[in-house]
Amino acid sequence: MYEDLKAQAADVAREICEKARLTKGQILVVGCSSSEIGGDRIGSNSNVDVAEAVFSGIYEVLTEKGIYLAAQCCEHLNRAIIIEREAVPGREYVNVVPFPKAGGSFATAAYGHFKDPAALEEIAADGGIDIGSTLIGMHLKRVAVPVRLEHNRIGEATVTAARVRPKFIGGVRAHYDEDLL
């Protein structure tokens, strides 16, 4: 079961990286409900083993591509972000360590596996994956654009995704770079 979840998570990560055209040094925020993956209501049945499997699948793909993973904590920590410190130099960090029932199992896995984890109140990521309706939108740059994924489930959880594009300011639509749409 855990190998299946890891493979599903890796497929999702590869697909969002491709469709969002994420490049080395960019940041992908992930919110993950291990409860929803297991078929339960969000926040009701945190599962460290499920989170570890999903984290592993996503992290391996992102590490290979040089993309940073920002793990969103649950609402008990105000959806704080756990990320590698080198990805956000000079930022104002917060003092928190996530746990499965206070921060979430996925953020706990990230904190345990990162070389030098740091916690932030917020981030402006280049793309995002929302596993189980965790509401990652607050951590995306403006303007967020939905990405339709073929791989849109991990376990029992629905997966939604987004990328960002520059704001369109003034001018006529014909002058916009179509690759950014």
Side-chain angles (χ1 to χ4, degrees):
M1 172 176 105
Y2 298 120
E3 284 301 315
D4 289 341
L5 294 175
K6 179 179 177 179
Q8 291 169 13
D11 288 343
V12 167
R14 277 191 285 279
E15 188 175 358
I16 187 64
C17 287
E18 177 185 322
K19 287 186 173 178
R21 296 184 217 142
L22 296 175
T23 58
K24 184 177 181 174
Q26 289 189 306
I27 297 172
L28 179 77
V29 65
V30 176
C32 176
S33 170
S34 60
S35 299
E36 291 274 336
I37 292 169
D40 296 311
R41 185 178 47 82
I42 192 169
S44 66
N45 193 14
S46 191
N47 186 314
V48 174
D49 294 327
V50 165
E52 285 280 344
V54 173
F55 172 83
S56 180
I58 294 169
Y59 189 60
E60 287 176 15
V61 170
L62 297 184
T63 300
E64 178 182 295
K65 296 178 177 297
I67 298 167
Y68 291 104
L69 170 60
Q72 178 181 275
C73 295
C74 72
E75 72 275 7
H76 296 104
L77 295 182
N78 299 318
R79 304 204 194 291
I81 293 294
I82 306 301
I83 191 166
E84 288 284 6
R85 192 175 308 269
E86 73 179 13
V88 288
R91 291 290 304 267
E92 185 175 338
Y93 307 115
V94 294
N95 189 15
V96 69
V97 177
F99 286 90
K101 298 271 186 194
S105 293
F106 187 82
T108 301
Y111 193 90
H113 288 282
F114 287 165
K115 293 178 287 191
D116 187 17
L120 303 172
E121 282 190 275
E122 60 187 15
I123 197 160
D126 303 290
I129 302 171
D130 187 320
I131 305 165
S133 301
T134 57
L135 302 176
I136 59 161
M138 65 188 284
H139 292 301
L140 293 170
K141 290 177 182 172
R142 291 189 181 127
V143 171
V145 178
V147 174
R148 306 286 183 238
L149 299 177
E150 289 180 37
H151 301 94
N152 59 9
R153 295 194 78 75
I154 297 178
E156 298 298 314
T158 301
V159 176
T160 55
R163 65 177 177 83
V164 298
R165 64 156 174 78
K167 294 178 189 179
F168 294 141
I169 305 295
V172 229
R173 182 153 167 57
H175 293 103
Y176 297 137
D177 183 345
E178 292 296 320
D179 285 341
L180 299 176
L181 297 177

